[in-house]
Amino acid sequence: MDQEGLDLPDRYAVIGNPVAHSRSPWIHARFAVQTREPIAYAALLSPLDGFAATIESFRAAGGRGVNVTLPFKEEAFAIANTLSERARAARAVNTLTFSDSGIQGDNTDGCGLARDLKLNLDFPVAGRRILLLGAGGAARGVLLPLLEEVPAAITVANRSIEKARQLSRLLPRARSAEVFACGYGDLAGRAFDLVINATSAGLSGASLRLPPRLFSTGSLAYDMVYGRETEFLRLARDDGATRTSDGLGMLVEQAAESFYLWRGVRPVTAAVLSELRGA
Ligand code: ATR
């Protein structure tokens, strides 16, 4: 309650640079209406060299939590006082929660991907052979949550093999033995049920040099990028992938998981996702 007796909504925001394109304010506004949670959610542009100061002033003004997007996920990891296990494995944070005891850091990206696969695409990871392409921030964010869904095996392939190996070393020790790290050339002759593109190759217009016949019958090709048909998805279809998906469902699911962390209420995502697809 504020001084004039009016109930003000709890304030949240997405912080990035750039941030104007972000769909998060729209998604969280839908969640708030659906769940009747009294929140306000804004887009906050942070100077590239002023992330910590932007967080501090938002928090000082009463902010309760933020989503963090590019290029600040590593900085968010660094300023958090406590970290979830999945944030530690990702070495990146996309959700900060402010409380009297400090700043809690979490990463909901991988959980968002796993939930999109299971709930929206009816393609649960359990028992499946997964190929994760890339070993940068996007791949780091999803590896542990994918392993927790108990796939048959996960292969991480990257242009730089050493970076793929480092990725598996960030996992809790018992988990790292479950990941096979390799280069793209080592994939020849192997087939997978689910191939996830977590590289930034498509963003620069480059295409991945993948060997042919990577996709098993019934397989799904998933690109974490959303909003357009990517080169990876085109190649996957030509190479025999049965189904393809962009990452829009992951975007909505990671937002729902953040909303759940902040409010303790889980929004229903299906209607929000189909509205977003129609828009
Ligand atoms: P970030 O951490 O911000 O996601 P990054 O660490 O540069 O960015 O990771 C980008 C990922 O896309 C990496 O896996 C990168 O492969 P390398 O580690 O070998 O550089 C991958 N990537 C980018 N452009 C690529 C290309 N043209 N072909 C293959 N992989 C590419």
Side-chain angles (χ1 to χ4, degrees), residues 103-189:
I103 302 178
Q104 288 85 52
D106 201 343
N107 191 316
T108 65
D109 285 331
C111 166
L113 171 61
R115 287 180 74 88
D116 186 36
L117 290 165
K118 190 163 20 183
L119 303 175
N120 302 318
L121 296 165
D122 194 22
F123 200 94
V125 161
R128 292 205 152 102
R129 294 164 297 170
I130 302 180
L131 171 59
L132 183 62
L133 301 171
R140 274 202 324 266
V142 300
L143 188 53
L144 182 61
L146 285 174
L147 278 167
E148 283 173 347
E149 298 292 314
V150 202
I154 293 195
T155 299
V156 178
N158 197 47
R159 194 168 51 177
S160 140
I161 302 180
E162 186 43 37
K163 209 162 145 190
R165 292 196 184 114
Q166 281 168 8
L167 194 72
S168 67
R169 284 187 215 119
L170 291 174
L171 295 167
R173 190 169 301 176
R175 290 284 190 200
S176 56
E178 297 173 34
V179 174
F180 176 69
C182 67
Y184 294 135
D186 303 314
L187 298 171

Side-chain angles (χ1 to χ4, degrees), residues 70 74 134-138 140 158-160 163 184 198-201 204 206-208:
L70 298 178
E74 277 90 3
R140 274 202 324 266
N158 197 47
R159 194 168 51 177
S160 140
K163 209 162 145 190
Y184 294 135
T199 73
S200 57
S204 61
S207 51
L208 297 168

